[in-house]
Amino acid sequence: MTKADGAQRRERKSDKTRRRILDAAADLLNRKGFDGTRVSEIATLAELRVPAVYYYFDSREAILEEVVNIGDRLAHDNVVRRLNELPPDASALDRICAAFAAHLEMVLTESAYTAAAMRTMGQLPADMRARQLERQRASGRMWRELIQAGVEAGEVDPELDPRAARMFLLGAVNWATEWWNPARGSLEEILATAQRLVRNALAGPLARSATAATPRAALSPVFIPPP
Amino acid sequence: MTKADGAQRRERKSDKTRRRILDAAADLLNRKGFDGTRVSEIATLAELRVPAVYYYFDSREAILEEVVNIGDRLAHDNVVRRLNELPPDASALDRICAAFAAHLEMVLTESAYTAAAMRTMGQLPADMRARQLERQRASGRMWRELIQAGVEAGEVDPELDPRAARMFLLGAVNWATEWWNPARGSLEEILATAQRLVRNALAGPLARSATAATPRAALSPVFIPPP
DNA sequence: GTCTATAGGAAGATAGAC
DNA sequence: GTCTATCTTCCTATAGAC
Protein backbone atom coordinates (compact mmCIF):
# COMPACT_ATOMS: atom_id res chain seq x y z
CA MET A 1 0.00 0.00 0.00
CA THR A 2 1.50 3.36 -1.02
CA LYS A 3 1.52 6.30 1.35
CA ALA A 4 -0.92 8.13 -0.91
CA ASP A 5 -3.26 5.18 -0.70
CA GLY A 6 -3.14 5.22 3.06
CA ALA A 7 -3.94 8.91 3.21
CA GLN A 8 -6.88 8.69 0.83
CA ARG A 9 -8.40 5.32 1.60
CA ARG A 10 -8.53 5.36 5.36
CA GLU A 11 -10.16 8.63 6.19
CA ARG A 12 -9.17 9.88 9.62
CA LYS A 13 -11.91 10.13 12.19
CA SER A 14 -11.53 13.88 12.07
CA ASP A 15 -12.13 13.90 8.32
CA LYS A 16 -15.15 11.70 8.77
CA THR A 17 -16.72 14.09 11.24
CA ARG A 18 -16.01 17.01 8.97
CA ARG A 19 -17.68 15.13 6.18
CA ARG A 20 -20.76 14.36 8.29
CA ILE A 21 -21.13 18.09 8.90
CA LEU A 22 -20.92 18.87 5.20
CA ASP A 23 -23.36 16.09 4.33
CA ALA A 24 -25.84 17.44 6.86
CA ALA A 25 -25.44 20.97 5.53
CA ALA A 26 -25.97 19.84 1.94
CA ASP A 27 -29.13 18.01 2.93
CA LEU A 28 -30.50 21.01 4.80
CA LEU A 29 -29.60 23.44 2.03
CA ASN A 30 -31.80 21.41 -0.31
CA ARG A 31 -34.74 21.28 2.08
CA LYS A 32 -34.59 24.70 3.72
CA GLY A 33 -32.61 27.00 1.45
CA PHE A 34 -29.63 29.15 2.38
CA ASP A 35 -31.18 31.27 5.09
CA GLY A 36 -33.20 28.37 6.48
CA THR A 37 -30.16 26.22 7.18
CA ARG A 38 -29.33 26.51 10.91
CA VAL A 39 -26.08 25.51 12.52
CA SER A 40 -28.05 23.85 15.30
CA GLU A 41 -29.82 21.62 12.79
CA ILE A 42 -26.58 20.80 11.04
CA ALA A 43 -25.15 19.76 14.40
CA THR A 44 -28.16 17.58 15.22
CA LEU A 45 -28.07 15.83 11.85
CA ALA A 46 -24.33 15.27 12.22
CA GLU A 47 -24.87 13.92 15.75
CA LEU A 48 -22.85 16.65 17.40
CA ARG A 49 -23.36 19.74 19.55
CA VAL A 50 -22.99 23.19 18.04
CA PRO A 51 -19.50 23.98 19.43
CA ALA A 52 -18.10 20.83 17.83
CA VAL A 53 -19.20 22.20 14.47
CA TYR A 54 -17.27 25.39 15.14
CA TYR A 55 -14.19 23.32 15.85
CA TYR A 56 -14.20 22.32 12.17
CA PHE A 57 -15.47 25.51 10.55
CA ASP A 58 -14.97 29.18 11.27
CA SER A 59 -18.56 30.17 10.63
CA ARG A 60 -21.93 29.07 9.34
CA GLU A 61 -21.18 30.68 5.98
CA ALA A 62 -17.88 28.83 5.70
CA ILE A 63 -19.73 25.51 5.91
CA LEU A 64 -22.30 26.50 3.32
CA GLU A 65 -19.72 27.92 0.94
CA GLU A 66 -17.73 24.70 1.05
CA VAL A 67 -20.87 22.71 0.24
CA VAL A 68 -21.63 24.92 -2.74
CA ASN A 69 -18.03 24.78 -3.88
CA ILE A 70 -17.93 20.97 -3.75
CA GLY A 71 -21.32 20.75 -5.47
CA ASP A 72 -20.24 22.89 -8.40
CA ARG A 73 -17.00 20.95 -8.78
CA LEU A 74 -18.69 17.54 -8.66
CA ALA A 75 -21.10 18.58 -11.41
CA HIS A 76 -18.35 19.97 -13.60
CA ASP A 77 -16.03 17.00 -13.13
CA ASN A 78 -18.78 14.49 -13.84
CA VAL A 79 -19.76 16.23 -17.07
CA VAL A 80 -16.13 16.31 -18.21
CA ARG A 81 -15.63 12.65 -17.32
CA ARG A 82 -18.73 11.55 -19.20
CA LEU A 83 -17.72 13.56 -22.25
CA ASN A 84 -14.35 11.82 -22.21
CA GLU A 85 -16.07 8.45 -22.12
CA LEU A 86 -17.88 9.12 -25.38
CA PRO A 87 -16.63 7.40 -28.53
CA PRO A 88 -14.47 9.69 -30.65
CA ASP A 89 -17.07 9.80 -33.42
CA ALA A 90 -19.85 11.14 -31.19
CA SER A 91 -21.68 14.00 -32.85
CA ALA A 92 -21.87 17.49 -31.38
CA LEU A 93 -25.46 16.78 -30.37
CA ASP A 94 -24.45 13.48 -28.79
CA ARG A 95 -21.96 15.38 -26.66
CA ILE A 96 -24.52 17.98 -25.62
CA CYS A 97 -27.05 15.34 -24.59
CA ALA A 98 -24.45 13.40 -22.64
CA ALA A 99 -23.43 16.58 -20.84
CA PHE A 100 -26.97 17.46 -19.77
CA ALA A 101 -27.62 13.87 -18.69
CA ALA A 102 -24.43 13.85 -16.62
CA HIS A 103 -25.42 17.10 -14.94
CA LEU A 104 -28.97 15.93 -14.26
CA GLU A 105 -27.73 12.68 -12.79
CA MET A 106 -25.48 14.52 -10.36
CA VAL A 107 -28.33 16.82 -9.35
CA LEU A 108 -30.78 13.99 -8.80
CA THR A 109 -28.90 11.22 -7.09
CA GLU A 110 -25.17 11.27 -6.86
CA SER A 111 -24.73 14.53 -5.08
CA ALA A 112 -26.89 16.45 -2.63
CA TYR A 113 -24.01 18.91 -2.87
CA THR A 114 -24.67 19.68 -6.53
CA ALA A 115 -28.41 20.01 -6.00
CA ALA A 116 -27.73 22.37 -3.11
CA ALA A 117 -25.31 24.44 -5.18
CA MET A 118 -27.83 24.81 -8.00
CA ARG A 119 -30.86 25.54 -5.87
CA THR A 120 -29.29 28.14 -3.62
CA MET A 121 -27.52 30.10 -6.35
CA GLY A 122 -29.89 33.04 -6.20
CA GLN A 123 -29.89 33.18 -2.40
CA LEU A 124 -26.18 33.46 -1.71
CA PRO A 125 -24.86 36.62 -0.06
CA ALA A 126 -23.14 38.95 -2.49
CA ASP A 127 -19.55 38.03 -1.65
CA MET A 128 -20.15 34.27 -1.77
CA ARG A 129 -22.06 34.67 -5.02
CA ALA A 130 -19.16 36.58 -6.56
CA ARG A 131 -16.69 33.88 -5.61
CA GLN A 132 -19.02 31.19 -6.97
CA LEU A 133 -19.36 32.99 -10.29
CA GLU A 134 -15.59 33.21 -10.48
CA ARG A 135 -15.24 29.47 -9.89
CA GLN A 136 -17.99 28.67 -12.40
CA ARG A 137 -16.16 30.40 -15.22
CA ALA A 138 -14.67 27.22 -16.63
CA SER A 139 -18.02 25.43 -16.51
CA GLY A 140 -19.72 28.33 -18.25
CA ARG A 141 -17.15 28.27 -21.02
CA MET A 142 -17.50 24.50 -21.39
CA TRP A 143 -21.27 24.71 -21.84
CA ARG A 144 -20.97 27.60 -24.25
CA GLU A 145 -18.48 25.73 -26.39
CA LEU A 146 -20.57 22.55 -26.39
CA ILE A 147 -23.57 24.38 -27.82
CA GLN A 148 -21.44 26.45 -30.15
CA ALA A 149 -19.93 23.27 -31.61
CA GLY A 150 -23.44 22.03 -32.28
CA VAL A 151 -24.35 25.23 -34.08
CA GLU A 152 -21.20 25.11 -36.21
CA ALA A 153 -21.80 21.47 -37.07
CA GLY A 154 -25.25 22.42 -38.31
CA GLU A 155 -26.85 20.14 -35.74
CA VAL A 156 -28.50 22.87 -33.66
CA ASP A 157 -31.49 24.89 -34.82
CA PRO A 158 -29.92 28.16 -35.98
CA GLU A 159 -33.01 30.14 -35.00
CA LEU A 160 -32.35 29.50 -31.31
CA ASP A 161 -30.45 32.02 -29.22
CA PRO A 162 -27.59 29.79 -27.96
CA ARG A 163 -27.27 31.42 -24.55
CA ALA A 164 -31.00 31.41 -23.81
CA ALA A 165 -31.35 27.83 -25.02
CA ARG A 166 -28.47 26.71 -22.82
CA MET A 167 -29.86 28.45 -19.74
CA PHE A 168 -33.40 27.19 -20.29
CA LEU A 169 -32.17 23.61 -20.54
CA LEU A 170 -29.90 23.91 -17.52
CA GLY A 171 -32.88 25.31 -15.65
CA ALA A 172 -34.97 22.34 -16.70
CA VAL A 173 -32.49 19.89 -15.21
CA ASN A 174 -31.69 21.97 -12.11
CA TRP A 175 -35.38 22.27 -11.30
CA ALA A 176 -35.88 18.51 -11.51
CA THR A 177 -35.15 18.03 -7.79
CA GLU A 178 -38.42 19.83 -7.10
CA TRP A 179 -40.57 17.17 -8.67
CA TRP A 180 -38.64 14.00 -9.43
CA ASN A 181 -39.71 11.06 -7.33
CA PRO A 182 -37.74 7.81 -7.72
CA ALA A 183 -40.92 5.91 -6.81
CA ARG A 184 -42.64 7.18 -9.96
CA GLY A 185 -39.90 6.25 -12.41
CA SER A 186 -36.32 5.06 -12.44
CA LEU A 187 -33.28 7.23 -12.87
CA GLU A 188 -32.66 5.62 -16.24
CA GLU A 189 -36.10 6.63 -17.44
CA ILE A 190 -35.79 10.23 -16.38
CA LEU A 191 -32.33 10.52 -17.94
CA ALA A 192 -33.63 9.04 -21.18
CA THR A 193 -36.51 11.50 -21.26
CA ALA A 194 -34.16 14.38 -20.55
CA GLN A 195 -31.82 13.37 -23.36
CA ARG A 196 -34.69 13.00 -25.78
CA LEU A 197 -36.09 16.39 -24.78
CA VAL A 198 -32.73 18.16 -25.07
CA ARG A 199 -32.04 16.58 -28.44
CA ASN A 200 -35.44 17.53 -29.78
CA ALA A 201 -35.24 21.05 -28.35
CA LEU A 202 -31.88 21.86 -29.88
CA ALA A 203 -32.16 20.01 -33.18
CA GLY A 204 -35.65 21.25 -33.95
CA PRO A 205 -36.72 20.89 -37.56
CA LEU A 206 -33.20 19.73 -38.40
CA ALA A 207 -34.00 16.37 -36.79
CA ARG A 208 -35.56 14.96 -39.92
CA SER A 209 -33.89 11.58 -40.02
CA ALA A 210 -35.08 8.99 -37.56
CA THR A 211 -31.55 8.20 -36.42
CA ALA A 212 -30.81 11.79 -35.52
CA ALA A 213 -33.28 11.67 -32.65
CA THR A 214 -32.28 8.25 -31.35
CA PRO A 215 -29.09 8.08 -29.31
CA ARG A 216 -26.98 5.02 -29.89
CA ALA A 217 -26.36 2.32 -27.34
CA ALA A 218 -22.94 3.77 -26.65
CA LEU A 219 -24.61 6.77 -25.05
CA SER A 220 -26.13 4.85 -22.19
CA PRO A 221 -27.52 7.21 -19.59
CA VAL A 222 -26.60 4.88 -16.76
CA PHE A 223 -24.08 6.26 -14.36
CA ILE A 224 -21.26 3.96 -13.28
CA PRO A 225 -19.72 5.31 -10.08
CA PRO A 226 -15.94 5.03 -9.70
CA PRO A 227 -14.69 2.18 -7.46
CA MET B 1 -68.50 55.40 -14.07
CA THR B 2 -70.19 52.27 -12.72
CA LYS B 3 -70.19 51.43 -9.03
CA ALA B 4 -67.96 48.44 -9.71
CA ASP B 5 -65.50 50.77 -11.39
CA GLY B 6 -65.48 53.00 -8.34
CA ALA B 7 -64.74 50.11 -6.04
CA GLN B 8 -61.91 48.76 -8.16
CA ARG B 9 -60.35 51.92 -9.56
CA ARG B 10 -60.06 54.00 -6.45
CA GLU B 11 -58.29 51.76 -4.03
CA ARG B 12 -58.74 52.83 -0.46
CA LYS B 13 -55.60 54.04 1.30
CA SER B 14 -55.83 51.00 3.55
CA ASP B 15 -55.83 48.68 0.54
CA LYS B 16 -52.89 50.53 -0.93
CA THR B 17 -50.81 50.02 2.20
CA ARG B 18 -51.75 46.37 2.33
CA ARG B 19 -50.65 46.07 -1.25
CA ARG B 20 -47.33 47.77 -0.58
CA ILE B 21 -46.67 45.17 2.10
CA LEU B 22 -47.44 42.31 -0.27
CA ASP B 23 -45.32 43.86 -3.02
CA ALA B 24 -42.39 44.17 -0.63
CA ALA B 25 -42.82 40.60 0.55
CA ALA B 26 -42.95 39.28 -3.03
CA ASP B 27 -39.76 41.14 -3.89
CA LEU B 28 -37.95 39.81 -0.83
CA LEU B 29 -39.17 36.26 -1.36
CA ASN B 30 -37.49 36.33 -4.76
CA ARG B 31 -34.23 37.70 -3.46
CA LYS B 32 -33.93 36.00 -0.08
CA GLY B 33 -36.13 32.90 -0.15
CA PHE B 34 -38.79 31.92 2.34
CA ASP B 35 -36.70 31.78 5.48
CA GLY B 36 -34.64 34.80 4.52
CA THR B 37 -37.62 37.13 4.24
CA ARG B 38 -37.81 39.20 7.43
CA VAL B 39 -40.80 41.19 8.61
CA SER B 40 -38.49 44.05 9.45
CA GLU B 41 -37.26 44.21 5.85
CA ILE B 42 -40.79 43.99 4.52
CA ALA B 43 -41.69 46.94 6.73
CA THR B 44 -38.70 48.99 5.56
CA LEU B 45 -39.45 48.34 1.89
CA ALA B 46 -43.10 49.23 2.44
CA GLU B 47 -42.04 52.41 4.27
CA LEU B 48 -43.61 51.36 7.55
CA ARG B 49 -42.59 50.18 11.00
CA VAL B 50 -43.03 46.56 11.99
CA PRO B 51 -46.19 47.00 14.11
CA ALA B 52 -48.01 48.60 11.18
CA VAL B 53 -47.41 45.40 9.23
CA TYR B 54 -49.04 43.38 12.01
CA TYR B 55 -52.05 45.65 11.81
CA TYR B 56 -52.71 44.21 8.33
CA PHE B 57 -51.57 40.62 8.80
CA ASP B 58 -51.75 38.17 11.66
CA SER B 59 -48.27 36.78 11.20
CA ARG B 60 -45.22 36.65 8.97
CA GLU B 61 -46.43 33.40 7.46
CA ALA B 62 -49.83 34.90 6.67
CA ILE B 63 -48.13 37.56 4.51
CA LEU B 64 -45.99 35.05 2.67
CA GLU B 65 -48.85 32.63 2.10
CA GLU B 66 -50.95 35.37 0.55
CA VAL B 67 -48.09 36.29 -1.80
CA VAL B 68 -47.72 32.68 -2.90
CA ASN B 69 -51.46 32.31 -3.30
CA ILE B 70 -51.73 35.43 -5.47
CA GLY B 71 -48.70 34.37 -7.51
CA ASP B 72 -50.13 30.97 -8.32
CA ARG B 73 -53.49 32.48 -9.26
CA LEU B 74 -51.98 35.18 -11.49
CA ALA B 75 -50.01 32.57 -13.42
CA HIS B 76 -53.00 30.30 -13.86
CA ASP B 77 -55.38 33.09 -14.88
CA ASN B 78 -52.92 34.53 -17.38
CA VAL B 79 -52.38 31.16 -19.05
CA VAL B 80 -56.13 30.61 -19.30
CA ARG B 81 -56.68 34.10 -20.71
CA ARG B 82 -54.00 33.68 -23.36
CA LEU B 83 -55.39 30.32 -24.39
CA ASN B 84 -58.80 31.93 -24.82
CA GLU B 85 -57.28 34.61 -27.06
CA LEU B 86 -55.98 32.02 -29.51
CA PRO B 87 -57.80 31.59 -32.82
CA PRO B 88 -60.15 28.61 -32.75
CA ASP B 89 -58.05 26.74 -35.30
CA ALA B 90 -54.87 26.85 -33.20
CA SER B 91 -53.18 23.45 -33.10
CA ALA B 92 -52.57 21.54 -29.88
CA LEU B 93 -48.91 22.50 -30.11
CA ASP B 94 -49.82 26.15 -30.65
CA ARG B 95 -51.83 26.03 -27.45
CA ILE B 96 -49.00 24.42 -25.50
CA CYS B 97 -46.49 27.00 -26.68
CA ALA B 98 -48.84 29.87 -25.87
CA ALA B 99 -49.37 28.45 -22.39
CA PHE B 100 -45.65 28.18 -21.62
CA ALA B 101 -45.04 31.66 -23.01
CA ALA B 102 -47.84 33.09 -20.86
CA HIS B 103 -46.41 31.43 -17.77
CA LEU B 104 -42.87 32.58 -18.52
CA GLU B 105 -44.01 36.12 -19.10
CA MET B 106 -45.73 36.23 -15.71
CA VAL B 107 -42.64 34.82 -14.04
CA LEU B 108 -40.29 37.28 -15.69
CA THR B 109 -42.00 40.63 -15.69
CA GLU B 110 -45.65 40.92 -14.87
CA SER B 111 -45.59 39.38 -11.47
CA ALA B 112 -42.97 39.18 -8.76
CA TYR B 113 -45.70 37.23 -7.00
CA THR B 114 -45.62 34.40 -9.52
CA ALA B 115 -41.84 34.22 -9.51
CA ALA B 116 -41.91 34.11 -5.72
CA ALA B 117 -44.52 31.37 -5.70
CA MET B 118 -42.49 29.24 -8.09
CA ARG B 119 -39.12 29.75 -6.48
CA THR B 120 -40.15 29.13 -2.90
CA MET B 121 -42.25 26.03 -3.58
CA GLY B 122 -39.74 23.65 -2.07
CA GLN B 123 -39.10 25.82 0.98
CA LEU B 124 -42.62 26.23 2.31
CA PRO B 125 -43.48 24.79 5.71
CA ALA B 126 -45.46 21.58 5.50
CA ASP B 127 -48.91 23.04 6.19
CA MET B 128 -48.52 25.91 3.72
CA ARG B 129 -47.17 23.53 1.12
CA ALA B 130 -50.17 21.24 1.54
CA ARG B 131 -52.60 24.12 1.04
CA GLN B 132 -50.65 25.30 -2.02
CA LEU B 133 -50.75 21.85 -3.59
CA GLU B 134 -54.50 21.79 -3.02
CA ARG B 135 -54.95 25.14 -4.75
CA GLN B 136 -52.68 24.10 -7.65
CA ARG B 137 -54.82 21.13 -8.53
CA ALA B 138 -56.71 22.92 -11.29
CA SER B 139 -53.48 24.22 -12.83
CA GLY B 140 -51.95 20.77 -12.75
CA ARG B 141 -54.93 19.32 -14.53
CA MET B 142 -54.86 22.09 -17.13
CA TRP B 143 -51.21 21.45 -17.98
CA ARG B 144 -51.74 17.69 -18.10
CA GLU B 145 -54.66 18.09 -20.48
CA LEU B 146 -52.78 20.51 -22.73
CA ILE B 147 -49.96 18.03 -23.26
CA GLN B 148 -52.34 15.09 -23.51
CA ALA B 149 -54.22 16.86 -26.30
CA GLY B 150 -50.93 17.27 -28.14
CA VAL B 151 -50.17 13.58 -27.79
CA GLU B 152 -53.62 12.59 -29.03
CA ALA B 153 -53.38 14.96 -31.97
CA GLY B 154 -50.12 13.26 -32.95
CA GLU B 155 -48.25 16.54 -32.56
CA VAL B 156 -46.15 15.49 -29.57
CA ASP B 157 -43.26 13.03 -29.78
CA PRO B 158 -44.83 9.80 -28.48
CA GLU B 159 -41.51 8.64 -27.06
CA LEU B 160 -41.60 11.37 -24.42
CA ASP B 161 -42.99 10.70 -20.97
CA PRO B 162 -45.72 13.39 -20.82
CA ARG B 163 -45.38 14.13 -17.12
CA ALA B 164 -41.59 14.38 -17.15
CA ALA B 165 -41.64 16.51 -20.29
CA ARG B 166 -44.18 18.87 -18.75
CA MET B 167 -42.20 19.23 -15.52
CA PHE B 168 -38.86 19.71 -17.30
CA LEU B 169 -40.32 22.51 -19.41
CA LEU B 170 -42.05 24.19 -16.48
CA GLY B 171 -38.72 24.03 -14.66
CA ALA B 172 -37.00 25.66 -17.61
CA VAL B 173 -39.36 28.65 -17.49
CA ASN B 174 -39.51 28.86 -13.67
CA TRP B 175 -35.72 28.90 -13.49
CA ALA B 176 -35.47 31.77 -15.97
CA THR B 177 -35.61 34.40 -13.22
CA GLU B 178 -32.18 33.19 -12.14
CA TRP B 179 -30.44 34.27 -15.31
CA TRP B 180 -32.66 36.46 -17.47
CA ASN B 181 -31.42 40.02 -17.75
CA PRO B 182 -33.59 42.50 -19.66
CA ALA B 183 -30.43 44.38 -20.60
CA ARG B 184 -29.18 41.41 -22.60
CA GLY B 185 -32.32 40.87 -24.65
CA SER B 186 -35.92 41.98 -24.79
CA LEU B 187 -38.87 40.14 -23.31
CA GLU B 188 -40.14 39.46 -26.82
CA GLU B 189 -36.88 37.75 -27.74
CA ILE B 190 -36.82 35.50 -24.72
CA LEU B 191 -40.46 34.54 -25.19
CA ALA B 192 -39.81 33.72 -28.83
CA THR B 193 -36.84 31.54 -27.91
CA ALA B 194 -38.88 29.79 -25.24
CA GLN B 195 -41.70 29.05 -27.67
CA ARG B 196 -39.30 27.75 -30.27
CA LEU B 197 -37.57 25.55 -27.72
CA VAL B 198 -40.83 24.15 -26.32
CA ARG B 199 -42.14 23.45 -29.81
CA ASN B 200 -38.95 21.70 -30.84
CA ALA B 201 -38.73 19.74 -27.61
CA LEU B 202 -42.25 18.36 -27.77
CA ALA B 203 -42.62 17.88 -31.50
CA GLY B 204 -39.25 16.23 -31.95
CA PRO B 205 -38.78 14.33 -35.16
CA LEU B 206 -42.45 14.94 -35.96
CA ALA B 207 -41.59 18.54 -36.84
CA ARG B 208 -40.57 17.75 -40.38
CA SER B 209 -42.38 20.52 -42.21
CA ALA B 210 -40.94 24.00 -41.94
CA THR B 211 -44.29 25.46 -40.91
CA ALA B 212 -44.67 23.11 -37.99
CA ALA B 213 -41.81 24.79 -36.19
CA THR B 214 -42.76 28.36 -37.04
CA PRO B 215 -45.57 29.91 -35.02
CA ARG B 216 -47.90 32.16 -36.93
CA ALA B 217 -48.22 35.88 -36.39
CA ALA B 218 -51.44 35.32 -34.47
CA LEU B 219 -49.37 33.75 -31.70
CA SER B 220 -47.51 36.90 -30.81
CA PRO B 221 -45.57 36.44 -27.60
CA VAL B 222 -46.15 40.03 -26.59
CA PHE B 223 -48.21 40.50 -23.47
CA ILE B 224 -50.89 43.17 -23.55
CA PRO B 225 -51.84 44.06 -19.96
CA PRO B 226 -55.52 44.74 -19.27
CA PRO B 227 -56.55 48.44 -18.99
C1' DG C 1 -53.60 53.45 11.23
C1' DT C 2 -49.15 54.17 12.75
C1' DC C 3 -46.00 54.75 16.10
C1' DT C 4 -42.32 53.85 20.48
C1' DA C 5 -41.00 50.55 23.62
C1' DT C 6 -40.38 46.05 24.94
C1' DA C 7 -41.32 41.12 25.99
C1' DG C 8 -39.79 36.48 24.85
C1' DG C 9 -37.23 33.48 22.33
C1' DA C 10 -33.97 31.63 19.05
C1' DA C 11 -29.76 32.06 16.38
C1' DG C 12 -24.57 32.56 15.65
C1' DA C 13 -20.61 32.38 18.06
C1' DT C 14 -17.17 31.85 22.08
C1' DA C 15 -15.05 30.57 26.90
C1' DG C 16 -13.31 27.19 29.22
C1' DA C 17 -13.87 22.41 31.51
C1' DC C 18 -12.92 17.63 30.40
C1' DG D 1 -12.35 16.74 19.89
C1' DT D 2 -16.44 17.37 22.25
C1' DC D 3 -18.96 19.15 25.72
C1' DT D 4 -21.94 22.70 29.14
C1' DA D 5 -22.80 27.32 29.89
C1' DT D 6 -23.23 31.81 28.32
C1' DC D 7 -22.83 36.29 25.57
C1' DT D 8 -24.84 39.13 22.11
C1' DT D 9 -27.65 40.06 18.50
C1' DC D 10 -31.62 39.76 15.93
C1' DC D 11 -36.25 38.12 15.11
C1' DT D 12 -41.42 37.69 15.74
C1' DA D 13 -44.99 39.59 17.99
C1' DT D 14 -47.60 42.56 21.32
C1' DA D 15 -48.87 46.54 24.64
C1' DG D 16 -50.37 50.77 24.68
C1' DA D 17 -49.80 55.94 23.44
C1' DC D 18 -51.21 59.13 19.83
Side-chain angles (χ1 to χ4, degrees), chain B residues 76 134-148 166:
Chain B
H76 180 77
E134 184 60 34
R135 289 193 306 264
Q136 286 179 342
R137 268 195 173 165
S139 298
R141 188 172 51 242
M142 177 191 68
W143 284 105
R144 246 189 328 275
E145 288 172 356
L146 273 172
I147 308 279
Q148 188 53 32
R166 177 180 92 235

Side-chain angles (χ1 to χ4, degrees), chain A residues 65-144:
Chain A
E65 179 153 6
E66 183 152 339
V67 169
V68 168
N69 190 2
I70 292 174
D72 285 329
R73 208 183 56 236
L74 284 174
H76 181 76
D77 290 352
N78 191 46
V79 171
V80 169
R81 191 165 61 81
R82 294 309 216 88
L83 285 174
N84 287 337
E85 287 170 8
L86 288 178
D89 64 330
S91 72
L93 213 43
D94 289 340
R95 293 174 58 78
I96 292 169
C97 288
F100 277 106
H103 184 92
L104 175 59
E105 186 166 52
M106 241 340 154
V107 168
L108 285 184
T109 64
E110 293 302 324
S111 165
Y113 293 75
T114 296
M118 298 302 138
R119 298 191 42 179
T120 57
M121 258 198 254
Q123 297 170 22
L124 303 184
D127 56 334
M128 272 189 62
R129 179 67 182 135
R131 286 192 291 276
Q132 188 193 30
L133 280 172
E134 184 58 36
R135 289 193 306 263
Q136 286 179 341
R137 268 195 173 166
S139 298
R141 186 170 53 243
M142 177 190 69
W143 284 105
R144 246 188 330 274

Side-chain angles (χ1 to χ4, degrees), chain B residues 189-204:
Chain B
E189 286 168 348
I190 195 75
L191 292 180
T193 298
Q195 292 214 30
R196 180 94 188 175
L197 208 65
V198 168
R199 188 175 293 267
N200 286 352
L202 293 178

